[in-house]
Structures are given as structure tokens and as C-alpha cells.
């Protein structure tokens, strides 16, 4: 199976007034296409730093990140920004929808920014709203929807550009257990329907349970992997 993400020997140190902090220590792993990987770890263990380095928002002190065979760590800032726009989608705990836009406009925004033809854009938005079970809510505004429904919209928007990698940071953090489980089912279904791949940082056990594999990070280093599914023990 092709590896969409290849992370090798990633180390990230920060200089602080109190001295140097090593947020990531020699982290290596691979994610094949179609896999959903949960990244678990206590607060301060390095999850956000790892997501930032993977998506090119931050550069490691050493080590490499390859996305679909392209070096993220070898690109300049402008090229990393383009790569993020074209190949990576983000889902956040706080949904991140624009309140003055309708649900359909929120989902179509990445396509508008890419100057997609309006007819194709409408078609894709209708397909995505259908995929997340909100086909009839396209004309609503975010504040008319529940938290779980808003996260569904955020998932639809994240998939609009057919990203190679979906990165989620605590996507169920603001939802009750049942809604969180439903959101995770939806992420699974959507990732498979769109042939994407996902890396999800979370404290939520139910998210971890429904991932194909769990990477556990402590003090910036990957620890023995507790896994599920066919790739459970694969580094
Ligand atoms: N810009 C920075 N400057 C200095 N130290 C930083 C910086 N960013 C992160 N760190 C340190 O790196 C370590 C890892 O932080 P990180 O935010 O990646 O953890 P986390 O696992 O995402 O935590 P949380 O679950 O609370 O979001 C922490 O010790 C943090 O203080």
C-alpha cells in the first residue's frame, strides 16, 4: 500500500527564556493511504507540535516529512502554504465555520478560493452536504445548527478540495459522547468515500477505539503503539 505520509526522525526544539524545550524527539512513522490514525498523549506531550510540523505550519529542528512523495520540510514557506491549501484539510475542536456565511457557502469556500467553476462548485457542495447528512440545511447559518451538525459541516468543508491528508485536532472535544462517536463514524465514512487519509489528535477514548491505529506520544517521543486493525504494530 502507498504511504501518504512518511515522517522520519523528527525533532523540534524551542528556545525559551527558561532554556531549551525539546517538544519532539526523533519521531518516525508512516501512514498508508486510507488509514485513520489517532494520535494520543497527555497535554504538553507534543501532539500539536507534531501536527504543525506535518502540515508545514512549523519546521522541525531536524528530520523530514514527506506527503505523497513530496518533501514538506524541503519547501520554502510559500510552497508549504500552497501545499497546505491544495493537499491538506483541517478539522478543529471549535469547528471554525464563518458565521455570516450559509452552510453551503461555508462548504464551498475552499472551492471558491480555488476559483472552481460555480456549477461544479454547487454540484460538489450538494454531494458533500449529502455525504454528511445535511442535504436540506445548505441555506441555514452555523448558529442555527447543533454542535454536532456544525462539526459535520466542518468535515464537509474539509473534504471540499479532495485533500490527500485530513488533520483533526480534538474534533470531538466540544461534543457529548454519543455525538462524538457519530462524528467519528462520519469521519471514517467520509475518509473512505473520498479516498483520503486521516491523522487525528485526541484525548477521546472512543475516537482512539475507532481509529485503525493509535500512535501514543509522551514527552515528545512515540511510545509502544497500542493499535487496532491490520496495521496495529506497524511503525
Ligand atoms: N512555540 C513554543 N515555544 C516554546 N515551547 C513550546 C512552543 N510550542 C510548544 N512548546 C512546548 O512543547 C511541548 C509540547 O507542546 P504541544 O503544544 O505540542 O503539546 P500538546 O500535546 O499538543 O498539548 P495539548 O494537548 O495541551 O494541546 C510543551 O512542553 C510546550 O510547552
Amino acid at each position: 500500500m502507498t504511504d501518504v505520509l512518511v515522517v522520519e526522525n523528527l525533532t523540534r526544539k524551542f528556545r525559551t527564556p527558561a532554556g531549551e524545550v525539546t517538544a519532539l524527539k526523533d519521531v518516525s512513522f508512516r501512514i498508508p493511504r486510507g488509514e485513520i490514525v489517532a494520535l494520543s498523549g497527555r497535554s504538553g506531550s507534543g501532539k500539536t507540535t507534531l501536527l504543525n510540523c506535518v502540515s508545514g505550519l512549523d519546521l522541525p529542528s531536524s528530520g523530514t516529512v514527506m506527503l505523497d512523495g513530496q518533501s514538506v520540510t524541503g519547501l520554502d514557506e510559500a510552497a508549504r502554504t500552497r501545499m497546505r491549501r491544495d493537499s491538506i484539510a483541517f478539522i478543529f475542536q471549535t469547528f471554525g465555520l464563518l458565521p455570516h456565511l450559509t452552510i453551503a457557502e461555508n462548504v464551498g469556500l475552499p472551492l471558491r478560493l480555488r476559483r472552481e467553476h460555480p456549477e461544479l462548485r454547487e454540484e460538489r457542495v450538494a454531494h458533500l452536504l449529502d455525504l454528511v447528512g445535511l442535504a436540506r440545511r445548505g441555506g441555514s447559518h452555523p448558529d442555527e445548527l447543533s454542535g454536532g451538525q456544525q462539526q459535520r459541516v466542518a468535515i464537509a468543508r474539509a473534504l471540499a478540495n479532495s485533500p490527500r491528508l485530513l488533520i483533526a485536532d480534538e474534533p470531538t472535544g466540544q461534543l457529548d459522547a454519543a455525538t462524538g462517536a457519530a462524528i467519528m463514524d462520519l469521519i471514517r465514512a467520509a475518509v473512505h468515500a473520498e479516498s483520503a487519509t486521516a491523522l487525528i489528535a485526541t484525548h477521546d477514548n472512543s475516537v482512539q477505539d475507532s481509529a485503525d491505529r493509535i500512535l501514543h506520544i509522551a514527552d515528545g517521543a512515540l511510545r509502544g503503539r497500542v493499535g487496532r486493525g491490520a496495521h496495529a504494530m506497524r511503525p
Side-chain angles (χ1 to χ4, degrees):
M1 211 178 325
T2 330
D3 287 319
V4 169
L5 183 67
V6 179
V7 171
E8 281 180 341
N9 308 112
L10 216 58
T11 293
R12 178 62 166 111
K13 297 178 179 179
F14 292 105
R15 276 184 224 292
T16 73
E20 198 174 68
V21 175
T22 304
L24 294 177
K25 290 174 201 160
D26 203 22
V27 169
S28 301
F29 63 94
R30 293 163 175 260
I31 306 184
R33 182 174 310 287
E35 197 177 41
I36 297 177
V37 174
L39 178 63
S40 83
R42 300 166 78 142
S43 181
S45 56
K47 300 183 298 297
T48 303
T49 306
L50 180 55
L51 295 186
N52 288 345
C53 288
V54 163
S55 62
L57 277 171
D58 189 16
L59 278 178
S61 310
S62 60
T64 56
V65 175
M66 303 277 289
L67 181 62
D68 247 359
Q70 188 181 26
S71 166
V72 176
T73 35
L75 299 174
D76 65 22
E77 196 172 337
R80 289 202 309 279
T81 302
R82 276 198 300 278
M83 185 217 61
R84 248 192 327 278
R85 186 193 61 198
D86 296 339
S87 308
I88 301 181
F90 297 87
I91 297 174
F92 304 100
Q93 184 169 353
T94 49
F95 321 134
L97 302 178
L98 297 178
H100 55 284
L101 297 186
T102 65
I103 297 312
E105 287 166 347
N106 266 283
V107 173
L109 192 60
L111 301 171
R112 224 169 98 188
L113 295 175
R114 218 174 61 179
R115 299 184 189 284
E116 187 68 84
H117 191 279
E119 244 172 61
L120 291 178
R121 192 171 76 215
E122 272 178 37
E123 247 173 57
R124 176 95 177 126
V125 168
H127 165 75
L128 289 165
L129 284 178
D130 196 34
L131 184 71
V132 300
L134 290 171
R136 292 140 84 92
R137 302 305 300 266
S140 303
H141 283 82
D143 64 0
E144 298 171 72
L145 268 53
S146 70
Q149 289 171 330
Q150 290 185 49
Q151 194 59 303
R152 286 171 179 268
V153 176
I155 292 167
R157 183 184 56 185
L159 294 168
N161 268 345
S162 306
R164 283 176 275 185
L165 180 65
L166 188 69
I167 290 183
D169 200 351
E170 296 288 355
T172 60
Q174 296 213 347
L175 306 173
D176 61 60
T179 309
I183 285 295
M184 218 21 232
D185 287 346
L186 177 64
I187 289 179
R188 279 200 78 83
V191 162
H192 290 147
E194 295 285 318
S195 304
T197 299
L199 178 60
I200 306 174
T202 185
H203 293 101
D204 182 341
N205 287 335
S206 73
V207 172
Q208 295 171 18
D209 287 346
S210 63
D212 296 315
R213 185 160 53 117
I214 302 171
L215 294 176
H216 186 72
I217 187 167
D219 292 331
L222 289 187
R223 302 291 181 211
R225 267 132 284 193
V226 199
R228 293 165 54 92
H231 307 291
M233 298 312 290
R234 197 164 166 264

